[in-house]
């Protein structure tokens, strides 16, 4: 699921709120490493970079309507007569679900509520429906553009693809393990060739799901997305887990994350399976942020699993 603006939000206050979000988006384009953890629908990004909205984009926002239009275009005219006997030239707005609510209806043409869909005009109906759906969020998107333009020259945005703009503002949805590995610094005597480090990267790349990797990033950094910026801006650190070293049995200990410093104290686990299980347990059960210097943080550091 992704986020879409509500088409009904058109008041002056709504305008200011959308502009404010646009300002935040503009700040993220200038500050390397700053991202908004928002899953915004592709149609919004396409509108921001002025990419032409094609019928295929309909699948991003309304699969039911996309299937309906595809059905219309693929059927013989004689068949359509029995499919839409009572359909008129109206559409239900995206933030309404009750077709009986007249306030939630949009007429696709003048007097559309009185005009019935027939064999002769069904393709016109499909074209108007697609055009309405693709441009339903245009007003709110323009408010976002206005906010962004307060920070950066909006005329530069067509230089980007919509995916590039999304990555610039919101980061990468799935953790790019290779990029993270390239931005990792090993401290406290830990070496990238150590066997437990090999286990760690193998688990992150091949054993974790995309959701697991997102949870891991939140565990070590307090964020759900990586910024797609050049190497060296956000340096991830892996260091030794001192207490597990002193104990002589690292497999009994959980890893410790320091979200403020984007760092991980990783015990020298003896196998890939133990590495995975301990990471998953820590990620899903010790996910307080900024607890490094309080009682909870110290308790987590001393946590030994038996």
């Amino acid at each position: 699921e992704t986020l879409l603006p509500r088409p009904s939000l058109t008041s002056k206050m709504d305008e200011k709120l959308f502009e404010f979000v646009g300002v935040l988006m503009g700040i993220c384009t200038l500050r390397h490493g700053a991202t908004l953890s928002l899953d915004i629908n592709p149609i919004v990004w396409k509108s921001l970079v002025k990419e032409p909205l094609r019928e295929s984009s309909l699948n991003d926002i309304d699969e039911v309507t996309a299937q309906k239009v595809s059905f219309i275009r693929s059927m013989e005219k004689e068949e359509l007569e029995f499919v839409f006997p009572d359909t008129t030239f109206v559409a239900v707005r995206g933030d309404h679900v009750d077709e009986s609510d007249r306030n939630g209806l949009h007429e696709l043409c003048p007097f559309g509520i009185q005009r019935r869909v027939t064999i002769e005009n069904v393709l016109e109906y499909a074209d108007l429906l697609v055009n309405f759906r693709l441009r339903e969020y245009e007003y709110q998107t323009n408010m976002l553009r206005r906010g962004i333009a307060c920070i950066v020259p909006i005329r530069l945005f067509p230089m980007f693809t919509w995916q590039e703009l999304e990555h610039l503002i919101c980061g990468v949805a799935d953790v790019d393990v290779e990029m993270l590995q390239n931005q990792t610094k090993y401290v406290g005597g830990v070496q990238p060739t150590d066997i437990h480090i090999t286990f760690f990267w193998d688990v992150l790349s091949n054993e974790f799901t995309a959701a697991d990797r997102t949870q891991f990033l939140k565990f070590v950094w307090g964020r759900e997305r990586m910024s797609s910026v050049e190497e060296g801006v956000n340096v991830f650190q892996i260091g030794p887990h001192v207490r597990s070293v002193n104990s002589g049995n690292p497999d009994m200990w959980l890893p410790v994350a320091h979200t403020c410093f984007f760092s991980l104290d990783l015990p020298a686990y003896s196998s890939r399976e133990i590495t995975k299980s301990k990471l998953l347990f820590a990620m899903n059960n010790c996910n307080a942020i900024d607890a490094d210097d309080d009682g909870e943080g110290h308790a987590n550091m001393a946590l030994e699993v038996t």
Side-chain angles (χ1 to χ4, degrees):
E1 295 184 357
T2 54
L3 298 174
L4 277 169
R6 293 182 60 183
S8 60
L9 299 180
T10 56
S11 70
K12 291 296 182 182
M13 178 58 70
D14 295 329
E15 287 184 12
K16 292 183 181 297
L17 291 174
F18 279 114
E19 286 182 25
F20 176 70
V21 175
V23 169
L24 295 179
M25 295 169 74
I27 291 173
C28 289
T29 64
L30 294 179
R31 290 188 57 193
H32 289 328
T35 58
L36 295 175
S37 296
L38 298 175
D39 291 322
I40 300 175
N41 192 278
I43 201 168
V44 176
W45 300 112
K46 292 175 183 179
S47 298
L48 289 175
V49 299
K50 294 295 185 179
E51 179 179 316
L53 299 179
R54 298 180 174 86
E55 190 170 309
S56 58
S57 299
L58 197 58
N59 285 295
D60 294 328
I61 56 174
D62 189 345
E63 291 184 357
V64 174
T65 298
Q67 292 173 3
K68 181 178 181 179
V69 171
S70 176
F71 182 73
I72 290 173
R73 300 199 189 284
S74 64
M75 291 193 70
E76 298 294 334
K77 287 188 176 182
E78 292 73 15
E79 298 175 292
L80 292 170
E81 184 177 7
F82 302 99
V83 177
F84 305 109
D86 300 316
T87 303
T88 58
F89 276 67
V90 296
V92 181
R93 299 183 188 276
D95 52 355
H96 286 74
V97 295
D98 186 1
E99 296 188 14
S100 63
D101 181 7
R102 296 286 293 270
N103 294 325
L105 298 181
H106 172 81
E107 293 185 300
L108 300 174
C109 63
F111 307 105
I113 199 168
Q114 301 172 12
R115 185 183 179 192
R116 292 193 175 278
V117 176
T118 65
I119 297 176
E120 289 73 24
N121 63 26
V122 67
L123 293 180
E124 179 191 358
Y125 165 77
D127 291 338
L128 290 172
L129 181 59
V130 170
N131 184 69
F132 165 68
R133 275 284 179 261
L134 293 180
R135 286 162 178 77
E136 191 174 9
Y137 310 95
E138 193 170 58
Y139 180 83
Q140 291 75 21
T141 303
N142 286 337
M143 294 304 102
L144 291 175
R145 287 175 61 86
R146 184 186 296 179
I148 295 172
C150 295
I151 306 297
V152 296
I154 199 70
R155 65 181 181 275
L156 299 179
F157 274 22
M159 297 172 54
F160 299 96
T161 66
W162 71 265
Q163 294 96 334
E164 290 171 339
L165 184 63
E166 179 188 22
H167 292 169
L168 185 63
I169 293 176
C170 292
V172 183
D174 191 7
V175 176
D176 187 330
V177 177
E178 183 177 357
M179 182 171 71
L180 181 63
Q181 194 167 2
N182 290 336
Q183 295 179 196
T184 298
K185 178 181 179 182
Y186 303 91
V187 298
V190 176
Q191 298 296 323
T193 54
D194 291 345
I195 186 63
H196 73 289
I197 298 299
T198 302
F199 291 151
F200 168 75
W201 289 117
D202 186 39
V203 166
L204 205 60
S205 300
N206 304 314
E207 300 287 336
F208 276 8
T209 64
D212 290 334
R213 285 188 286 269
T214 298
Q215 184 64 25
F216 170 78
L217 192 67
K218 186 177 180 180
F219 172 62
V220 296
W221 202 16
R223 302 186 185 185
E224 295 182 350
R225 287 183 174 228
M226 289 184 64
S227 57
S228 57
V229 297
E230 68 270 15
E231 185 176 335
V233 175
N234 301 306
V235 178
F236 176 46
Q237 292 191 21
I238 300 180
H241 189 290
V242 177
R243 297 195 181 200
S244 69
V245 173
N246 295 335
S247 74
N249 188 2
D251 289 346
M252 300 297 294
W253 295 80
L254 293 173
V256 174
H258 307 278
T259 54
C260 293
F261 303 102
F262 194 19
S263 65
L264 179 70
D265 297 343
L266 184 67
Y269 296 124
S270 61
S271 71
R272 183 182 295 101
E273 292 72 21
I274 292 177
T275 302
K276 179 181 179 180
S277 65
K278 291 295 192 288
L279 282 172
L280 287 174
F281 185 91
M283 287 158 35
N284 293 301
N285 294 279
C286 308
N287 50 16
I289 298 175
D290 294 331
D292 299 341
D293 296 319
D294 62 14
E296 183 178 355
H298 291 299
N300 289 342
M301 290 183 65
L303 189 57
E304 179 181 1
V305 180
T306 59

